[in-house]
Structures are given as C-alpha cells and as structure tokens.
Amino acid sequence: MKNTISLRIADFLKSYPPFDVLTKEQLSSISENIKVNYVTKNKMIFKENDDVNDCFYVVKDGAIGVFRDQKILVDQCDEGDIFGLRALIRKDKYLLSAISIEESIVYAIPAIFLEEIINTNPQVGKFLLTSFATNTRNPYADDDKGYLYKEHLDTNEKYAFLNSRSANYTKNPIQCSIDITIKEAAQIMSTQNIGSIIITKDSKPIGIITDRDLRDKAATGQVTVSEKVSAIMSSPVKTFSPDITISEAQIAMIENSITHLCITEDGTPDSSLIGILSEHDIIVLHGNDPSVLIKEIKRASDADSLKTIRIKANSLLKTYIEQQIPIAFISKVISSINSSLTRRAIELSLQEVGDKIPVNFSWLALGSQGRKEQLLLTDQDNALVFENIPKDQLEETRSFFVSLAKKVTAKLNHIGFEYCPADMMASNPSWCLSLDEWKAQFDDWITNPNQEKILLCTIFFDYNHVFGDKTLAEEMSKSIFNATNRYGIFLNFLGLNALKNPPPLSFFRQFLVEQSGDHKDQFDIKSRVMMPLVDAARLLILDHNIKDVNNTILRYEKLIELEPQNKDLYLFCIRAYKILLTFRTKVGFKNGNSGRYIDLHSLSKADKLELRSTFKTVKEIQELIRIRFNLAQML
Amino acid sequence: MLNWLFKKKYPKYWKKYLDHFTNGQPKSINEIKFVVFDTETTGLNITKDRVLSIGAISIMSNVIAVNDSFEIFIAQEHFNPETVEIHGLLKEGNIDKVSEKEALKQFLKYIKNAILVAHHIDFDISMINQILKRNNLPKLKNQLIDTGALFKKTKKCDNALKNYSLDHLAHVYDIEKHDRHTSQGDAYITGLLFLKILAELNERDHLTLSEILYSKLNTQNYF
C-alpha cells in the first residue's frame, strides 16, 4: 500500500546507489515493504554465525559497525550504506556481526526484492557485485596487522578488472556423450588435465561433471565409477551467450552457486555449445589491464606515446571509480603507472643526453606522488640527489643533472603533469643537490624552523625514490631522523602546522567555504580536509621514527600497529581519507580538473553528509595531536 | 443476562473488536503491539469538529513495518476553511475518502487490542470516541500511552508542567520533521519519538507496561 511513509522512504533511498537506478515501481514496492528498525547504541542487529535473516539492511540514520569476532571493526556503515548482503547472496550464515555504533534507524529490505532487482537490472547487479567484492573480506586471513588494507588488496586483485568487458571463456571445451561411464569421463578429464567435462547431445549441453562431483559422489562410493555419467552429472546446465560480461558471469555463479557456465551460440540450452567459463578463468583475468599499460610504458620510445598511455590510464581510473573499486587499490595501480611513466621519461632523457652520468643519482617524487596518492593529473613535484663529489666538480655535476632534469620535467609536462608553479622540481638548482648538501638543507630546516621551512618539510619529507640509486634516498631519510631526534622541538612545530587548518565546520555546522579569490564560495577539499589528515599521519609517523612509510593510508595502518589503543581513530582516518580521495577524483573527472575545489551546490545531500562525516575525524585527530605534542600552550 | 441483551444490539465489527480483548497483553514490552496514531481534524472542538483523516503505524519489538500501516481519509459535511492551511485537506479534493462509519470500522479492525500511542492522546482519543458515540457505541477499550506525558518521565524534560509540542520533541530527539500535519506523517514522527523515549526509559530493560501507560484520570477531562 502506497502511503506517506513509503513515499518518504522512497525519497530517501533514491539518492543512494543502487536504488538510484531502480524504476519508480521497483522503488515503491521496496519502500512499501520495508521494516523500519530503531536501535539504540551497542545493539546487535545480527551476529556472526547466525542464520541469515530474510532481508538486507540500509542505514537511514546513525552508524552501524560491521565487526569480526564482535570486536574488530571491519567496516562502518553510515547513511545510505548497505549491509548484511553477502550472507544473503551466498545464502549462508553471517560471517560478521552488525552492531550499532550509535543510535540508529535501519531499514530492513526483504530478500525477495534483491533477487527481483538483480534479475531485472544489470546495473544494480554490477553495483552489488562490486560492493560484494569489497565486503568479501577473507574471514580466515586473520592477520590483525593492517587487515583493512590487506583485505582490500586481496579482494581487489580478484575483482578490480571485472568490468563490463566480455568474459574470456574457454573455447572448444572437452565434451563427452551421455553413454560413457564415470570412469571413462574421469580418464578424459585426467588426460586433458581439466576440471570439468560437459555432457552433450547433438553438440547441445545437457549436463556437466566437475572435479567436485567426482570427489563428492564417485570417490565417496556413493556411486560406482562403472555407472554412466548421467548418475552424477548436474543437469540441466546454466547456459549463457558468448557476449556475457565478467560481472554478469560472476553474478550468475553466485546466484546459482555454481562454478562453471556453459556458453552456447545463442545463450539457450537448445543451441550448440561453444565454450565454458569457469570461476578460475575469471580469477586468472585479474591484473591484466594495468600490467599491459606498464609494459607499453616500458616500450614507449617518446613522450608522445607516454602521453597516450597516460590518457588510457585515466580512462582506466574512470572505470574503476565508476565501479566503486576501493580507492586504496586504485591509487596503488595509478601510482605504479605514474612511477613507470616518470621512470621511462628519465630513461628517454638519459638516452638523449648520451653522456655517461658523472655519479650515481636518485630521482625523487615529492608530495602526493611521493605518497603514492596522486590519482588525477596534478602538478609535478620532484627533486634529485646525487652522490657526494669533490667540491671543484660540484657545480659541473650539478649542471649536468639540472639539464637532465629539464629534459625529464619537459617530458612529464608533455605527458600531462604540469610544471610546478612554485618551481619545486629537480630542474631547479636549489632542489638538485648532492647528498651532503641535502643533509645540510634538512638540518637547517629542522634546527631553524620557520613557517616557510616547515612547509618545505611537509613537501620534501614525503619523498619517494623513483629512479636511480636507492641508497642515496635512504641516506637522506637517515639524516632527517637524526636531525629530528636531536631537535625534538621540531615535531612540535610540525604539529602546529598540522593544526593550522581546523575542522572545516563552522560554528553552525555549515561548510566553511573560501571567502575570496578565484574559488570564492567553493570548498577546498584538499587543504581543508585532506591535508590535515596527511599532515597528521606524517607527524605521528615521524614521532615514531618510522622510515619508508610515505603513504597516508599505510601510515595510519602502521600507527594502528604501534598504538593499538588509538586503533578506532586511525581506522576512521583511513576511512575518511579513502572517501576524500574518491570524492576528489570524482569531482576532478566531472570538472576536468584537479578536483580540489568543490562547488557545494553541486553536491547531493548524501554527498554532503558523506563529506561531513570525515570532518569529525579531522577534529579528533587534531585533538590527539594537540594533546600529544602539548600544543595548547604554543597556540 | 441484561448485559448479554445489551451487548447484542452492537454491530458485528464492534463485537469483533471486543473479542480481541479476551487475552491480556504479553509480559515483555518487546512482544507488545503498539499502534501509534494521529488524526487530522477540522478544528479543536471535540463535539463540533470532525476527523478528516486517521494515520497509524504499528510497532512491535522496535520495528515499524511499513506494510502494516494505516491511512484513511474521511468525507465530512462539517468543514472549516481555517484549518486547511494546517493539514491541506480540502472538502472535495481528489483523495479517496470513505464515510465516517467505514473509517471507524477499518480503524477498529486495524488497532485490535494494541496499546494506542499518540502525542497529546486525550484529543485524538476523544475525537475517535465521539465518532463511536455518533454510532451509538461505547468508548475505545484500548490501553493508552501519551508521548507528551511519557517524555516527562525522562531526564531530558526540564519542566514537568509544560506541554511539549510534537515539533519541539522531534527537535529534542533529532527526528526529521517530514510530512508534518499529514496524519500518517505525524503518526510516523510520533512513532519514532515513542521508540526513542522508550529506549531512554528502558535502558536497563526493566520497564513494565504499567509504568508507561497514560493515567486514565487525565482522559476524563474531556467528557
């Protein structure tokens, strides 16, 4: 029955995926059958190992935590987030528990709608598959250390590339007739080294036997091997047409609890068998696209072809974002592509210079590229360190590397990484230094800090070795830590810097927008929320004397390991940073720019809420820094 | 014997309604069915004004099932243009309307013996009882809870003498005020309010029904 409440629920749901793509009729039939659950804080909605409830859940208000062993927070679901789906799809017991983190209102949607929606709307199926992929955290890989990140990687390597491409099925699968015995079929499978065999009649598939059937039915003695294959085959088989996409194939496998799909000419069981697609085929597909790009980069002979590859990488990135592949994985892929591009640009420049390099050097990426968080094309920030050399050869050597760097930065500019407006590039003689010069430079920054030097530290401390002699970069790190250990007060200055951008909510819980300039009334997502999280991570990790962890998410993971008592806060930092990276990338794609400035009017309410959820985290981490570094009296 | 004769002249739908009261309420608050309702009326005069719509939702163990909710619009001869601004219900309008008697039948069928909950329930109950009276029937038998009175048992209430409006309490409990002044919208807001107040009072899970029931004495004022 359509009524005021169901209309209001439909209004809410339609701004969140996957409900946003449903038809009005689908949406209203869901809304009319929702159960509105009210839970106070710390209430169990479902429990690990419980039988699955006949519904899945959407958070309306509040926050629901998904926990492993009832205490390890795996995921936090806020407004519009779905949970309790995985067990429902697998028709299995719950692997995780859902407990309210705060007072919440949760909509329970009956399971029948899930099936109906998946069957009628491939887009929703795709969405659910990706969220399924991100929620499928291997429950047995119980490695407390950095489990969030790890799980993202694990699942993503399997699912990241499963976009709308056609599935690459095995053509001319091995078949047999229904008259042969189980033993004969097993012999064929054994000699052909295959895990399944399809039973056909007039080349149409009528049944299938997999390793599992042999194991479960024949090897147990339930059926003797001299019987006909019809005794153990699964029949009828699920058939699909050759243009099935990988996502569709996966959904079909999950839905039907099968591991093999038969591909027939027209997709029905009444046409000829032309192939077979196994779960294994799909898993094997992972990793193809980026690795192809990286191979192309290695073969590229000029900046033009590098530019083409970078454009391809951008469209890959776009697909990932659209498919809601977790951002930690995306940034890993894109960073490795960016590093490869830089490396190739250096190699090509070295070929042009022709001369043998006078001494070893290391090319360093700085800032976001150094942290491996650069997704969109932004400015290039880089520096160069070369081996110590007698004073009389110093300037000659420097000018060699400066001219090399000029060629490299020109190529990077051509590829799409624009010149740094502040000239923070290796082609600037101030940032093309010998190892000793760098050490002196860092010593000066650390022992005589001022506003400008602190800012330089925040850029230069996040460097990442890209090309050349890595030991030079490592020497630099060592000298930084020596200096910071000697001048403890420096971290307090860095702390003050980390607090210079307060949480971006003004007194009235509105967004703080830029007051003047080109971006008046726009929200600066980079300096208002992302940099505070980046700065905090850098400061805290330096305080622990940890070298070589430059990525913000990895830094927080390391911090969780070092300070288990602050685990929840750091987990929220990771979550917030992932949201922000995704957000910025989406906005960047939409506007064709760096995504740094957001027009608040263009945001949906859901987006605003999501964005705002990260502000609280900024506030909390800044509070921690204020206390830890005793900054209250310094402010 | 007299009583039996007396009862006999009541219509079937009323007898059916009464039948639901043969069993008492379950012990645990979680097993009790609550019906939260609201009426939109032509005005505040119990005898002169008429009910234009009744909206209701059911709550059991902290769950509101959307498909078990109630919303009905009533065709009335009495009309007061002044309240149209509040509820938006026109005399003619294009909403399907039923007779007062039909609405009553359906409402009784829906509520059964559930505990009735409303904000400032005196008024809504009186309005329903007036409908019953016009149909020569006795008053409602259901036990009642008033969210306005219930709020006064919480720590959030700073002045027990004050009458807190639904708007005010929705604000206090952070409830979105969608569809205010539609009977079902208000019933839903009142429902969430009830759940939140109940959770606050029942933090230790010791609460019994008798502690939250609305004192019958208060309802006498209107008669």
Side-chain angles (χ1 to χ4, degrees):
Chain A
M1 186 186 74
K2 200 177 275 184
N3 58 38
T4 312
I5 300 170
S6 73
L7 289 174
R8 187 56 64 196
I9 291 174
D11 264 356
F12 169 80
L13 290 179
K14 77 176 180 224
S15 46
Y16 295 96
F19 306 103
D20 51 349
V21 297
L22 295 183
T23 64
K24 225 176 160 182
E25 289 70 32
Q26 284 177 319
L27 202 54
S28 59
S29 67
I30 288 177
S31 307
E32 284 155 32
N33 287 288
I34 270 179
K35 288 192 164 44
V36 181
N37 289 251
Y38 170 73
V39 284
T40 47
K41 197 178 164 178
N42 287 329
K43 284 275 170 348
M44 185 90 66
I45 294 160
F46 55 74
K47 196 174 160 192
E48 220 165 314
N49 289 323
D50 274 0
D51 285 330
V52 59
N53 297 338
D54 204 24
C55 60
F56 63 104
Y57 301 89
V58 180
V59 181
K60 164 65 175 66
D61 281 317
I64 304 296
V66 181
F67 293 84
R68 173 148 26 96
D69 301 335
Q70 292 183 44
K71 56 182 192 287
I72 303 164
L73 181 69
V74 176
D75 202 0
Q76 188 190 324
C77 303
D78 296 318
E79 280 196 35
D81 287 343
I82 295 178
F83 65 97
L85 197 62
R86 183 186 183 282
L88 199 60
I89 292 179
R90 293 233 100 151
K91 298 184 172 63
D92 205 349
K93 288 179 188 309
Y94 286 113
L95 288 174
L96 302 164
S97 306
I99 300 166
S100 52
I101 296 176
E102 48 190 73
E103 177 191 40
S104 305
I105 292 172
V106 172
Y107 292 156
I109 303 179
I112 40 163
F113 290 101
L114 178 68
E115 282 160 38
E116 188 200 311
I117 293 162
I118 289 180
N119 290 336
T120 55
N121 196 327
Q123 242 183 309
V124 177
K126 197 164 120 187
F127 172 84
L128 293 177
L129 178 76
T130 31
S131 65
F132 176 71
T134 55
N135 287 328
T136 315
R137 287 154 177 151
N138 182 352
Y140 303 110
D142 199 346
D143 181 3
D144 251 357
K145 197 174 84 174
Y147 62 90
L148 252 179
Y149 189 68
K150 202 157 166 260
E151 281 163 358
H152 269 143
L153 286 186
D154 287 346
T155 51
N156 274 294
E157 275 171 47
K158 287 186 200 126
Y159 294 99
F161 312 102
L162 311 175
N163 44 34
S164 45
R165 290 175 19 181
S166 287
N168 201 357
Y169 56 87
T170 308
K171 296 185 178 70
N172 306 317
I174 305 297
Q175 333 176 359
C176 67
S177 80
I178 195 156
D179 311 318
I180 70 167
T181 62
I182 296 169
K183 190 177 174 185
E184 285 167 318
Q187 277 164 349
I188 298 173
M189 288 168 71
S190 168
T191 49
Q192 300 281 347
N193 197 20
I194 48 171
S196 65
I197 188 163
I198 299 173
I199 294 94
T200 52
K201 192 179 179 189
D202 304 331
S203 78
K204 290 168 196 163
I206 53 173
I208 184 168
I209 294 176
T210 64
D211 276 344
R212 192 162 148 196
D213 295 319
L214 293 174
R215 195 171 61 231
D216 292 354
K217 297 172 190 163
T220 55
Q222 196 183 331
V223 176
T224 58
V225 292
S226 54
E227 281 185 56
K228 298 281 190 244
V229 284
S230 54
I232 61 165
M233 72 180 186
S234 306
S235 176
V237 292
K238 294 279 171 191
T239 58
F240 296 86
S241 71
D243 58 4
I244 186 172
T245 66
I246 297 167
S247 311
E248 287 165 346
Q250 279 224 305
I251 290 171
M253 287 178 187
I254 293 165
E255 270 196 325
N256 298 300
S257 312
I258 52 177
T259 51
H260 294 75
L261 306 178
C262 290
I263 309 294
T264 61
E265 270 174 356
D266 67 0
T268 70
D270 292 326
S271 62
S272 298
L273 178 76
I274 54 173
I276 184 162
L277 182 65
S278 71
E279 203 172 32
H280 179 73
D281 292 334
I282 288 176
I283 291 165
V284 165
L285 278 170
H286 80 78
N288 273 351
D289 296 47
S291 63
V292 168
L293 284 181
I294 286 173
K295 271 182 200 149
E296 280 181 33
I297 291 170
K298 284 182 180 155
R299 285 194 300 263
S301 57
D302 51 44
D304 272 337
S305 29
L306 289 178
K307 186 178 182 176
T308 318
I309 296 165
R310 173 63 224 207
I311 291 166
K312 279 192 209 166
N314 237 34
S315 59
L316 179 71
L317 171 60
K318 205 169 174 179
T319 325
Y320 284 175
I321 295 283
E322 277 166 6
Q323 300 212 334
Q324 322 210 353
I325 304 294
I327 199 76
F329 180 77
I330 303 180
S331 69
K332 194 180 169 227
V333 169
I334 298 297
S335 295
S336 74
I337 291 176
N338 285 347
S339 298
S340 300
L341 285 168
T342 312
R343 269 197 286 276
R344 189 60 191 157
I346 298 168
E347 283 169 359
L348 291 173
S349 305
L350 278 170
Q351 284 170 16
E352 285 170 32
V353 176
D355 296 334
K356 219 176 144 332
I357 47 167
V359 287
N360 281 338
F361 73 100
S362 163
W363 182 278
L364 306 169
L366 308 176
S368 64
Q369 208 193 333
R371 290 191 303 271
K372 301 189 177 174
E373 291 160 6
Q374 187 184 37
L375 290 175
L376 295 157
L377 292 170
T378 52
D379 303 340
Q380 46 173 308
D381 292 317
N382 44 54
L384 192 149
V385 51
F386 52 87
E387 265 180 301
N388 290 329
I389 197 159
K391 216 174 178 181
D392 54 326
Q393 295 164 43
L394 183 63
E395 290 314 316
E396 196 188 328
T397 309
R398 189 190 326 280
S399 66
F400 170 86
F401 282 116
V402 166
S403 64
L404 173 70
K406 277 184 177 151
K407 288 182 189 303
V408 177
T409 54
K411 286 189 182 61
L412 291 174
N413 187 54
H414 185 76
I415 295 169
F417 304 98
E418 282 178 28
Y419 287 124
C420 172
D423 205 16
M424 250 170 235
M425 294 186 290
S427 51
N428 177 345
S430 314
W431 312 129
C432 182
L433 306 177
S434 74
L435 184 57
D436 277 349
E437 286 176 313
W438 272 117
K439 284 181 178 173
Q441 180 80 81
F442 285 135
D443 264 6
D444 174 50
W445 288 347
I446 291 165
T447 54
N448 306 304
N450 61 25
Q451 188 88 44
E452 191 198 353
K453 288 174 185 172
I454 292 283
L455 189 68
L456 288 169
C457 288
T458 64
I459 296 166
F460 279 85
F461 281 12
D462 292 342
Y463 63 71
N464 181 45
H465 164 82
V466 175
F467 185 93
D469 182 358
K470 198 176 181 182
T471 56
L472 292 168
E474 286 163 357
E475 284 292 317
M476 279 173 71
S477 298
K478 263 189 221 160
S479 88
I480 290 177
F481 282 97
N482 280 337
T484 54
N485 284 340
R486 273 178 289 136
Y487 298 92
I489 189 80
F490 169 75
L491 288 181
N492 297 61
F493 282 103
L494 212 52
L496 280 179
N497 180 68
L499 299 185
K500 73 173 186 282
N501 280 315
L505 281 174
S506 74
F507 195 71
F508 298 103
R509 284 176 67 84
Q510 298 298 316
F511 283 88
L512 271 178
V513 292
E514 300 310 301
Q515 298 298 325
S516 58
D518 286 351
H519 301 286
K520 192 168 182 298
D521 294 335
Q522 289 183 326
F523 179 71
D524 182 349
I525 190 175
K526 183 186 169 191
S527 64
R528 292 277 177 203
V529 241
M530 297 180 80
M531 290 321 287
L533 288 171
V534 170
D535 288 339
R538 181 192 306 110
L539 171 65
L540 294 167
I541 210 83
L542 276 176
D543 192 32
H544 280 288
N545 261 323
I546 303 293
K547 302 182 187 72
D548 306 327
V549 188
N550 284 353
N551 180 275
T552 302
I553 291 168
L554 291 177
R555 278 174 171 162
Y556 282 118
E557 275 166 8
K558 189 76 191 169
L559 287 167
I560 291 173
E561 202 179 299
L562 296 165
E563 304 170 20
Q565 71 276 20
N566 293 320
K567 183 173 174 177
D568 285 352
L569 174 56
Y570 294 145
L571 279 177
F572 283 127
C573 289
I574 292 173
R575 180 180 171 277
Y577 200 68
K578 285 176 180 171
I579 289 175
L580 294 165
L581 265 179
T582 315
F583 224 90
R584 185 174 170 187
T585 313
K586 277 188 195 164
V587 172
F589 271 125
K590 205 167 136 201
N591 304 338
N593 58 24
S594 73
R596 174 170 177 176
Y597 293 98
I598 295 176
D599 178 7
L600 290 178
H601 300 296
S602 71
L603 295 182
S604 68
K605 190 171 178 234
D607 282 346
K608 274 188 202 164
L609 282 169
E610 188 168 44
L611 198 50
R612 209 167 70 182
S613 73
T614 65
F615 300 167
K616 208 176 135 198
T617 308
V618 172
K619 188 176 172 207
E620 283 166 10
I621 193 78
Q622 291 193 342
E623 201 49 43
L624 179 137
I625 288 174
R626 202 187 311 276
I627 292 165
R628 180 168 303 176
F629 296 94
N630 247 327
L631 297 176
Q633 70 245 41
M634 291 179 75
L635 281 169
Chain B
M1 200 63 174
L2 249 173
N3 197 21
W4 178 80
L5 280 171
F6 193 61
K7 212 172 175 178
K8 208 180 171 193
K9 59 178 193 181
Y10 289 143
K12 219 173 169 184
Y13 67 86
W14 179 256
K15 281 191 266 178
K16 257 194 167 163
Y17 164 71
L18 289 183
D19 282 346
H20 293 295
F21 288 86
T22 44
N23 296 323
Q25 294 292 348
K27 278 237 166 73
S28 160
I29 285 193
N30 273 333
E31 291 164 29
I32 296 175
K33 181 167 169 166
F34 299 94
V35 166
V36 187
F37 79 108
D38 180 66
T39 58
E40 292 301 320
T41 60
T42 56
L44 298 173
N45 188 308
I46 305 288
T47 44
K48 281 187 193 151
D49 282 308
R50 292 291 182 265
V51 176
L52 293 171
S53 76
I54 308 173
I57 53 152
S58 294
I59 294 180
M60 189 126 109
S61 63
N62 283 343
V63 174
I64 301 171
V66 179
N67 58 8
D68 182 21
S69 53
F70 181 86
E71 188 169 36
I72 206 157
F73 298 92
I74 305 169
Q76 297 285 12
E77 275 311 305
H78 178 79
F79 182 68
N80 178 359
E82 283 167 29
T83 56
V84 171
E85 274 179 39
I86 297 176
H87 49 65
L89 295 173
L90 296 170
K91 191 172 182 187
E92 301 303 325
N94 51 5
I95 308 174
D96 285 338
K97 291 176 186 158
V98 300
S99 68
E100 192 174 83
K101 189 172 178 178
E102 178 59 27
L104 178 66
K105 277 189 196 171
Q106 292 193 27
F107 185 64
L108 292 176
K109 194 175 157 198
Y110 176 74
I111 61 173
K112 301 191 173 72
N113 69 333
I115 313 287
L116 293 182
V117 183
H119 194 69
H120 298 155
I121 198 165
D122 290 335
F123 177 73
D124 299 279
I125 285 293
S126 306
M127 290 306 285
I128 303 282
N129 281 337
Q130 286 295 323
I131 299 179
L132 287 162
K133 197 175 171 188
R134 282 193 288 279
N135 287 280
N136 299 314
L137 291 167
K139 290 174 185 172
L140 285 175
K141 303 287 177 211
N142 303 66
Q143 290 175 294
L144 308 177
I145 290 175
D146 177 57
T147 43
L150 199 59
F151 172 69
K152 293 180 182 173
K153 295 183 196 282
T154 69
K155 287 178 194 136
K156 287 198 175 74
C157 176
D158 43 23
N159 182 354
L161 298 173
K162 215 169 138 183
N163 260 337
Y164 291 96
S165 70
L166 184 58
D167 276 323
H168 180 84
L169 293 190
H171 177 76
V172 170
Y173 283 91
D174 215 5
I175 299 167
E176 282 176 273
K177 285 178 280 185
H178 286 309
D179 309 301
R180 267 297 267 132
H181 301 297
T182 66
S183 57
Q184 204 185 37
D186 279 358
Y188 185 66
I189 294 168
T190 310
L192 291 178
L193 178 64
F194 173 62
L195 285 173
K196 291 189 175 203
I197 296 176
L198 198 61
E200 193 182 337
L201 296 174
N202 198 16
E203 219 166 343
R204 294 200 192 140
D205 225 7
H206 287 157
L207 205 63
T208 59
L209 181 60
S210 60
E211 292 174 75
I212 55 174
L213 285 179
Y214 187 45
S215 151
K216 284 274 178 181
L217 280 174
N218 297 348
T219 57
Q220 303 300 316
N221 301 341
Y222 280 107
F223 303 101

